[in-house]
């Protein structure tokens, strides 16, 4: 959910013609995201990845490209949240301008201190 905070604040900082969208591919078992998991859980994840409607890089990559490039999604604005192939409303807790601003400022400060 923190990505939504950045997306909303980024939209406020972005210049004209820049629209910010958050894409969530869904649970993606069998990828390196589970590298620290026990071997048996990683094996189960690889097996589950073969089921229909389970996210995989091969399925999610084209879907993400579609959100970024296809006219179908061109209307998205202000940190819109897309889960797989549907625009999803976010809970009110994910729309807190003050928290978004504070997170943005804290990140900027950390990056400044790290000399990045």
């Amino acid at each position: 959910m923190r990505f939504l905070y950045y997306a909303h604040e980024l939209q406020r900082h972005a210049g004209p013609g820049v629209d910010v969208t958050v894409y969530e591919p869904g649970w993606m078992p069998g990828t390196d995201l589970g590298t620290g998991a026990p071997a048996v859980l990683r094996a189960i994840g690889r097996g589950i990845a073969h089921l229909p409607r389970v996210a995989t890089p091969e399925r999610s990559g084209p879907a993400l490209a579609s959100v970024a490039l296809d006219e179908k999604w061109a209307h998205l604005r202000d940190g819109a949240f897309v889960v797989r192939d549907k625009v999803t409303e976010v809970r009110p807790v994910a729309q807190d301008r003050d928290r978004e601003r504070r997170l943005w400022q804290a990140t900027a400060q950390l990056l400044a201190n790290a000399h990045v």
Side-chain angles (χ1 to χ4, degrees):
M1 186 171 321
R2 286 183 179 92
F3 293 116
L4 289 173
Y5 301 154
Y6 278 111
H8 295 150
E9 190 67 17
L10 177 59
Q11 185 68 71
R12 288 190 276 278
H13 289 267
V18 175
D19 298 313
V20 178
T21 301
V22 175
Y23 176 74
E24 166 60 54
W27 183 51
M28 202 173 305
T31 65
D32 283 344
L33 293 175
T35 299
V40 68
L41 291 180
R42 291 193 314 268
I44 291 169
R46 285 190 300 275
I48 291 172
H50 295 290
L51 297 174
R53 296 288 302 153
V54 173
T56 65
E58 295 77 18
R59 292 180 192 131
S60 299
L64 172 59
S66 173
V67 170
L69 301 172
D70 291 350
E71 190 64 31
K72 167 184 173 181
W73 304 100
H75 67 283
L76 298 179
R77 304 277 185 280
D78 301 325
F81 185 40
V82 177
V83 177
R84 292 181 172 213
D85 59 357
K86 293 184 177 89
V87 177
T88 303
E89 292 297 318
V90 296
R91 295 180 182 146
V93 70
Q95 297 181 18
D96 181 330
R97 284 179 155 238
D98 186 52
R99 180 177 33 218
E100 293 165 357
R101 180 188 49 77
R102 288 191 328 264
L103 181 60
W104 185 273
Q105 291 172 340
T107 301
Q109 186 63 45
L110 287 169
L111 291 173
N113 291 342
H115 307 290
V116 175

